[in-house]
Amino acid sequence: MGRALVSIVMLCGLVGVAAAQLTGFVVLLRAIPPGRVPPVGFVILVLVMFGWAGCLVWALGRGLWRALRWRDDRSTGPALDADQAPGLWQLAREVAAEAGTRPPHEVRLMSEPNVRYTHAFLRGHRVLYVGLPLLQTMTVGQARFGLAHFMAHFAAGHTRWVGFAIRSDTAIVTTAEALRPTNPAAWAFRGYRWLYRLIDNAVCRRWEFRADAVAVRVAGSADAVGAMHEIWAVIEAWNFFHDFHLLPGSEAGHLPDDLYGGFAEFVAARKDELDALRAKPLPANPSRWDPFPSSATRAARFPESFAVSDGRPATSLILDLAAAQAALRAVELEATRAALHALGREVEDDMVLAWPEFTHAATTAQLQRETDGILHTIGLTGPGLPQVLQMLEDGRLDEVARPLFPEAATEDLPELILTPLEVLMNLAAVRAGQATFRHSWSAPAELVAADGSPLDLTRVAEQAITDPRGATAELAALGIGIWRA
């Protein structure tokens, strides 16, 4: 209730800031002695006051309207009942009892490597969201700390009012940003926003410390510190997994069929790197503008607690992990279908691929973009490899290489052009069906021939510098047509 009370007071204060400015104008006008200001000047002052008042009303109205329309649009996943996750529900009930509150009405999976909650203000319906990537890497003891932290928020009543606090935050921030920074009417609102941030952040940090104290008592300090390290390690691992493995294929218009099974394999393949992330010091950010204390600050304030550590994998809390992963992925794919349908598109059967095909499609698309960039820089269109080889045969190496390496010395161009030539040849090999990109979780995708052996066309690219016709024949012997790139 503390944060809600602060939000109510600060929201009323926002209206007070606007009223104080209008009152100041009225007092100023009444304080002007009659006859001391020419009529034209007095009219100008009145017009300025009305213009100022219009800006204040518009900013306030925009902020309040945005707050009323706020909806929690974060992604949600499938619910897990007691039959699907008996261990997770038993743990939730035990932790809720130790925290002195009721267990949640629902436990749902989500894709974010985090834990969060929703709590309906009137109905009191509690939903706990658990990130599947966390369950795939955490121990049961660490999961106990995460659940206990949010059960402590439930017990203290923090969660019931959080929706109102977010709406108040939305109103104050939107009002402050509705007017341009150069508009004097916005200055007081912006100063008030900073004051609100300081006060609200202080309340949020106090909430976190109180919830941590309960969670450490329930789970023990060893698992609590381990959970803090695990969360940050998994967040970094998930971000790398998303950017390096998932994003390139998504940009190429494809989706993996087993996202979370892939992440589990990724974590297993990079165990040493994940262990190194776990061993890193917790991040410390002392900024007063952060709504939550840093992980290092939180861990430093953990009280000593010697609860028995539970080192079982948290995946044991779910009876059928593969089914849970598939259910969450199905929800996400349905959301993707709905988003594409709104744009007039549909999810085709060939858009959802297994990881080997997904990686091949993603890397091929990236190779195509590199090829397009090379040809655009040289000034060629259409199949570029035949044109490049013809230019080399005509002795026009400088025309091919100089646009790509404008600062290089002439004697260095034959060596520098090898890499662009190999890119063109690699694409031709892939388009001819003579090569594929082999998927790997621990290294970049490798170009391999049909028999699975690595395909290295560096020698052919070197030959193309001095003997383009011979290089063309060499590619043809490998079943690679130069017109495919």
Side-chain angles (χ1 to χ4, degrees):
M1 178 63 185
R3 188 184 180 194
L5 183 60
V6 168
S7 299
I8 293 172
V9 172
M10 296 299 288
L11 189 59
C12 294
L14 181 68
V15 180
V17 168
Q21 295 182 67
L22 294 179
T23 302
F25 265 110
V26 173
V27 170
L28 175 63
L29 292 175
R30 291 180 63 86
I32 297 176
R36 295 292 299 273
V37 177
V40 174
F42 190 80
V43 170
I44 291 175
L45 281 176
V46 172
L47 291 176
V48 169
M49 184 188 74
F50 276 105
W52 195 293
C55 290
L56 297 178
V57 171
W58 185 83
L60 272 176
R62 183 177 176 84
L64 294 175
W65 178 249
R66 182 73 61 84
L68 290 174
R69 290 176 58 85
W70 175 84
R71 294 293 183 273
D72 188 353
D73 56 359
R74 292 176 294 182
S75 61
T76 63
L80 292 176
D81 58 33
D83 294 331
Q84 296 169 309
L88 185 59
W89 270 100
Q90 181 182 354
L91 181 63
R93 293 187 181 102
E94 290 175 358
V95 167
E98 294 188 58
T101 188
R102 295 177 288 108
H105 297 87
E106 289 184 76
V107 175
R108 289 181 173 270
L109 292 176
M110 66 176 182
S111 60
E112 304 167 37
N114 206 340
V115 181
R116 61 179 173 86
Y117 58 80
T118 59
H119 191 168
F121 173 68
L122 295 177
R123 294 181 295 123
H125 189 79
R126 301 175 173 185
V127 182
L128 187 67
Y129 295 90
V130 183
L132 184 55
L134 282 183
L135 291 178
Q136 291 176 308
T137 61
M138 273 186 160
T139 65
V140 173
Q142 293 167 350
R144 177 185 290 273
F145 170 79
L147 295 183
H149 178 90
F150 286 94
M151 294 301 172
H153 281 306
F154 282 137
H158 298 162
T159 56
R160 184 183 290 271
W161 293 87
V162 72
F164 184 84
I166 293 175
R167 283 184 167 85
S168 298
D169 180 273
T170 301
I172 293 172
V173 172
T174 303
T175 300
E177 296 176 351
L179 303 174
R180 294 182 179 180
T182 54
N183 190 331
W187 297 346
F189 284 145
R190 289 176 177 268
Y192 191 78
R193 178 191 59 184
W194 294 333
L195 175 64
Y196 167 76
R197 281 287 188 220
L198 287 174
I199 297 174
D200 187 65
N201 290 350
V203 174
C204 287
R205 288 192 288 269
R206 186 176 63 180
W207 276 13
E208 291 300 299
F209 290 136
R210 288 181 176 179
D212 279 344
V214 175
V216 172
R217 174 175 58 81
V218 172
S221 53
D223 279 333
V225 173
M228 299 294 289
H229 282 274
E230 189 69 25
I231 289 172
W232 278 107
V234 174
I235 288 174
E236 290 198 34
W238 178 261
N239 289 339
F240 180 87
F241 172 79
H242 177 273
D243 295 342
F244 189 79
H245 291 283
L246 181 61
L247 188 59
S250 300
E251 291 177 342
H254 297 283
L255 299 168
D257 62 346
D258 187 10
L259 176 61
Y260 301 99
F263 182 68
E265 295 174 5
F266 167 81
V267 168
R270 294 181 176 263
K271 181 179 182 302
D272 293 341
E273 295 168 71
L274 196 63
D275 288 340
L277 290 175
R278 294 180 177 116
K280 288 174 61 177
L282 291 172
N285 188 350
S287 173
R288 68 181 64 185
W289 303 109
D290 288 336
F292 301 103
S294 69
S295 297
T297 302
R298 290 173 60 187
R301 295 184 58 157
F302 286 169
E304 285 292 333
S305 176
F306 301 100
V308 178
S309 181
D310 192 337
R312 293 176 297 153
T315 51
S316 63
L317 299 174
I318 300 177
L319 200 59
D320 189 345
L321 181 62
Q325 292 174 173
L328 178 56
R329 188 59 181 152
V331 171
E332 293 176 338
L333 288 175
E334 189 59 35
T336 301
R337 287 191 179 90
L340 289 176
H341 184 73
L343 298 174
R345 298 171 54 194
E346 299 295 336
V347 176
E348 306 293 342
D349 292 339
D350 60 350
M351 288 180 63
V352 182
L353 303 174
W355 274 108
E357 291 78 16
F358 180 82
T359 299
H360 173 74
T363 314
T364 301
Q366 183 177 355
L367 189 64
Q368 181 68 62
R369 288 194 295 271
E370 292 179 18
T371 299
D372 292 342
I374 292 170
L375 297 180
H376 177 75
T377 303
I378 298 174
L380 301 176
T381 58
L385 184 55
Q387 300 177 68
V388 170
L389 292 175
Q390 184 62 51
M391 293 171 72
L392 293 176
E393 186 174 351
D394 295 341
R396 298 156 60 193
L397 172 64
D398 191 79
E399 292 182 36
V400 175
R402 182 60 64 189
L404 297 171
F405 308 100
E407 304 296 329
T410 302
E411 60 270 18
D412 295 333
L413 292 179
E415 182 179 353
L416 293 174
I417 198 61
L418 290 178
T419 298
L421 271 176
E422 193 172 353
V423 169
L424 295 174
M425 292 178 181
N426 287 343
L427 181 63
V430 171
R431 296 301 186 197
Q434 300 301 319
T436 58
F437 286 100
R438 181 158 55 198
H439 170 75
S440 173
W441 293 119
S442 56
E446 182 184 19
L447 188 68
V448 296
D451 61 359
S453 61
L455 181 64
D456 187 358
L457 297 176
T458 304
R459 184 182 60 80
V460 183
E462 292 173 349
Q463 183 182 3
I465 301 297
T466 56
D467 183 14
R469 287 183 179 272
T472 301
E474 188 75 23
L475 291 173
L478 296 172
I480 303 171
I482 61 174
W483 53 272
R484 293 183 176 272

